[in-house]
C-alpha cells in the first residue's frame, strides 16, 4: 500500500496536481515528510496539507483487527498454525496438540536421557501419512553428534505402526523422506547454508535468528536439542529467583547429585518458545514442560521402550518454585535394555 499512487486516491484534482508537479507520486513519498515540509514543498496552506495527509493515511492504513478476528483467522488457516502430535497423549494435551508450527521447540537434558529417541520418533511422525496422524512430509535431521540410527528408526516404526511398516516397501519409503545432514561443526553447517555467496556471521545469535525465521516463514515445526553443563557459583548467585542463598545451593547439590543448566545460556533460552526438559530423579525419567506460553509447568514420567518414549501417566505433575528451571540427573543410566539388547540413547 505504501507504493499506491496518489493520483488514484481520489484527492481533489487541484491538490493532486500539485503533488505530481513536485514529484510526490506515492503514499510513501507523501507520508515520509512532515506536514510543515509538505507545506514548504507544495506551497499550500496547512489546512490543505492536513486534509490531504489524513485522506492518504486513511486509504493506505491496514484495517483494524480485533483479537477475536485474528483467532477466527487462525482457526480458518489451521494448516498454517497447526501442530505435530507426539502421540504422547498427556504431553500433546499440555501443548494443545503437540509440537507447534512456526516456532522453536527445544529439548534439554543430559547425555543419554532420551533426546535422540524423541527426535527419531518425531522424524517418523512427521513423515507418516496424514491418515495415521502424521504430516506426510519430509524431514531435515541435522545430526552433529552422529547419533542418528536408521535401524532404530525402523524399529520404532515397526513397533509403533505395524500396519504401515509391514507393507512391502513402506519402511524404505518412509526412511527416504528423512534427509540426514552430518556437519562436522557449526561453521560447516553455516557453509552449507551460504554456499551461494551470502554474507556469514559465525555467532550463535545469528544462527538462532536464522532458524527462527525459517520456522516462522515456512510454517514448519522445528525442534532443536541442547546439552547441559554444571552451573557455576556466579551464575547461581545471579539467578536469585531460583535459590535463596549459596548455602541452600550446596544443600541442593547434596540432595540432587548435581546442579545442571542448559548449555547454550540465557540468550538462547529467550529465543525458544517451548522448552522440554528431559531429566532423571530417583531412578525415574521425566519430560518436563519448563517453558510454554500455553501450558503450566508439568512433568510426565516416562520410559524408553522399543517403540520409543512412552509416558507412564498422562496426568502431568504440576511444578512450582525452583523445580521448574532445575535439571536433575539423579540415578540416571544411559544404557537401556530391550529384551536383552542394550541401547544407548
Amino acid at each position: 500500500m505504501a507504493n499506491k499512487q496518489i493520483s488514484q486516491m481520489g484527492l481533489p484534482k487541484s491538490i493532486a496536481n500539485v503533488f505530481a508537479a513536485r514529484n510526490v507520486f506515492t503514499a510513501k513519498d507523501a507520508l515520509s515528510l512532515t506536514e510543515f515540509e509538505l507545506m514548504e514543498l507544495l506551497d499550500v496552506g496547512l489546512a490543505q496539507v492536513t486534509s490531504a495527509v489524513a485522506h492518504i493515511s486513511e486509504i493506505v492504513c491496514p484495517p483494524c483487527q480485533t483479537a477475536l478476528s485474528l483467532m477466527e483467522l487462525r482457526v480458518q488457516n489451521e494448516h498454517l498454525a497447526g501442530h505435530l502430535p507426539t502421540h504422547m497423549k498427556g504431553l500433546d494435551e499440555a501443548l494443545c496438540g503437540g509440537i507447534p508450527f512456526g516456532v522453536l521447540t527445544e529439548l534439554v537434558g543430559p547425555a543419554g536421557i532420551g533426546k535422540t529417541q524423541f527426535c527419531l520418533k518425531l522424524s517418523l511422525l512427521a513423515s507418516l501419512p496424514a491418515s495415521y496422524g502424521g504430516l506426510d512430509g519430509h524431514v531435515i535431521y541435522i545430526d552433529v553428534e552422529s547419533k542418528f540410527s536408521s535401524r532404530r528408526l525402523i524399529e520404532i516404526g515397526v513397533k509403533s505402526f505395524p500396519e504401515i511398516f509391514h507393507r512391502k516397501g513402506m519402511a524404505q519409503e518412509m526412511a527416504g523422506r528423512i534427509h540426514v545432514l552430518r556437519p562436522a561443526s557449526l561453521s560447516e553447517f553455516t557453509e552449507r547454508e551460504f554456499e551461494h555467496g551470502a554474507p556469514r556471521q559465525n555467532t550463535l545469535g545469528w544462527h538462532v535468528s536464522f532458524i527462527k525465521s525459517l520456522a516462522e516463514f515456512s510454517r514448519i515445526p522445528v525442534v532443536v536439542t541442547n546439552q547441559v553443563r554444571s552451573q557455576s557459583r556466579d551464575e547461581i548467585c545471579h539467578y536469585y529467583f531460583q535459590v535463596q542463598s549459596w548455602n541452600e545451593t550446596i544443600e541442593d547439590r547434596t540432595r540432587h547429585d548435581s546442579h545442571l543448566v542448559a548449555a547454550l545460556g540465557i540468550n538462547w533460552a529467550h529465543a525458544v518458545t517451548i522448552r522440554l526438559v528431559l531429566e532423571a530423579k530417583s531412578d525415574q525419567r521425566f519430560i518436563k514442560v519448563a517453558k510454554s506460553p500455553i501450558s503450566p509447568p508439568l512433568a510426565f514420567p516416562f520410559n524408553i521402550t522399543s517403540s520409543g518414549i512412552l509416558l507412564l501417566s498422562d496426568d502431568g505433575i504440576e511444578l512450582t518454585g525452583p523445580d521448574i528451571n532445575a535439571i536433575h540427573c539423579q540415578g540416571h543410566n544411559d544404557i537401556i535394555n530391550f529384551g536383552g539388547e542394550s541401547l544407548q540413547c
Side-chain angles (χ1 to χ4, degrees):
M1 296 297 288
N3 293 321
K4 188 175 179 64
Q5 296 292 311
I6 290 177
S7 60
Q8 301 173 357
M9 294 187 183
L11 285 171
K13 192 171 183 180
S14 58
I15 190 68
N17 288 340
V18 174
F19 274 106
R22 299 296 189 273
N23 296 323
V24 181
F25 299 111
T26 67
K28 182 179 180 180
D29 295 336
L31 299 179
S32 296
L33 302 172
T34 67
E35 292 182 344
F36 291 104
E37 288 172 335
L38 284 172
M39 287 173 57
E40 182 178 356
L41 177 64
L42 305 178
D43 194 21
V44 297
L46 178 60
Q48 286 180 287
V49 168
T50 301
S51 176
V53 168
H55 184 81
I56 294 170
S57 299
E58 183 179 356
I59 290 177
V60 300
C61 181
C64 179
Q65 292 180 295
T66 65
L68 176 61
S69 67
L70 291 173
M71 185 180 70
E72 290 172 342
L73 181 63
R74 175 168 180 171
V75 171
Q76 293 171 7
N77 298 303
E78 181 61 21
H79 66 286
L80 297 178
H83 297 79
L84 169 60
T86 67
H87 285 222
M88 289 179 266
K89 183 181 177 182
L91 184 60
D92 285 340
E93 289 178 352
L95 298 178
C96 295
I99 306 299
F101 293 3
V103 298
L104 299 190
T105 298
E106 179 191 46
L107 303 179
V108 183
I113 194 68
K115 299 188 299 296
T116 298
Q117 302 302 308
F118 199 119
C119 290
L120 289 173
K121 185 66 172 284
L122 288 180
S123 298
L124 178 66
L125 293 171
S127 62
L128 277 179
S131 57
Y132 287 90
L135 298 183
D136 200 20
H138 286 251
V139 176
I140 297 177
Y141 192 114
I142 302 171
D143 181 25
V144 297
E145 296 182 323
S146 297
K147 288 187 175 180
F148 181 88
S149 169
S150 56
R151 180 178 177 181
R152 173 63 177 146
L153 180 78
I154 298 302
E155 179 186 27
I156 293 174
V158 170
K159 297 291 185 179
S160 302
F161 305 98
E163 67 276 23
I164 298 178
F165 278 80
H166 285 160
R167 297 180 190 173
K168 183 177 181 180
M170 182 57 72
Q172 290 81 354
E173 179 182 341
M174 303 302 297
R177 296 182 180 184
I178 301 172
H179 310 274
V180 181
L181 302 180
R182 282 183 167 164
S185 64
L186 186 60
S187 59
E188 182 180 324
F189 172 64
T190 306
E191 292 285 349
R192 289 177 180 267
E193 299 303 320
F194 294 98
E195 58 189 8
H196 298 296
R200 294 175 308 183
Q201 296 177 333
N202 292 319
T203 64
L204 182 62
W206 182 89
H207 284 89
V208 70
S209 179
F210 169 77
I211 298 172
K212 279 172 65 71
S213 298
L214 180 65
E216 181 178 352
F217 291 113
S218 300
R219 305 308 303 173
I220 58 175
V222 174
V223 177
V224 294
T225 61
N226 193 352
Q227 298 289 3
V228 297
R229 61 179 174 82
S230 297
Q231 190 174 30
S232 69
R233 173 173 178 171
D234 289 341
E235 289 175 312
I236 294 171
C237 293
H238 179 71
Y239 298 119
Y240 60 88
F241 55 85
Q242 292 187 15
V243 292
Q244 298 300 316
S245 67
W246 172 242
N247 289 335
E248 182 179 336
T249 303
I250 294 294
E251 293 172 6
D252 281 346
R253 288 190 173 187
T254 303
R255 192 181 312 127
H256 311 301
D257 54 341
S258 62
H259 195 97
L260 303 174
V261 294
L264 294 180
I266 194 70
N267 291 332
W268 173 273
H270 286 314
V272 301
T273 301
I274 306 290
R275 168 171 278 185
L276 303 178
V277 171
L278 279 68
E279 63 177 10
K281 290 177 64 176
S282 303
D283 297 324
Q284 177 62 65
R285 299 171 191 249
F286 291 88
I287 297 176
K288 183 165 65 179
V289 183
K291 179 183 179 183
S292 168
I294 54 177
S295 172
L298 297 172
F300 298 90
F302 74 93
N303 280 340
I304 300 178
T305 69
S306 57
S307 61
I309 290 179
L310 176 68
L311 296 187
L312 300 181
S313 171
D314 291 322
D315 297 322
I317 305 165
E318 191 158 355
L319 303 172
T320 59
D323 258 354
I324 296 173
N325 297 298
I327 302 175
H328 304 288
C329 190
Q330 190 181 44
H332 167 52
N333 182 356
D334 62 358
I335 303 296
I336 303 168
N337 291 302
F338 298 148
E341 295 185 8
S342 63
L343 171 70
Q344 188 162 359
C345 302

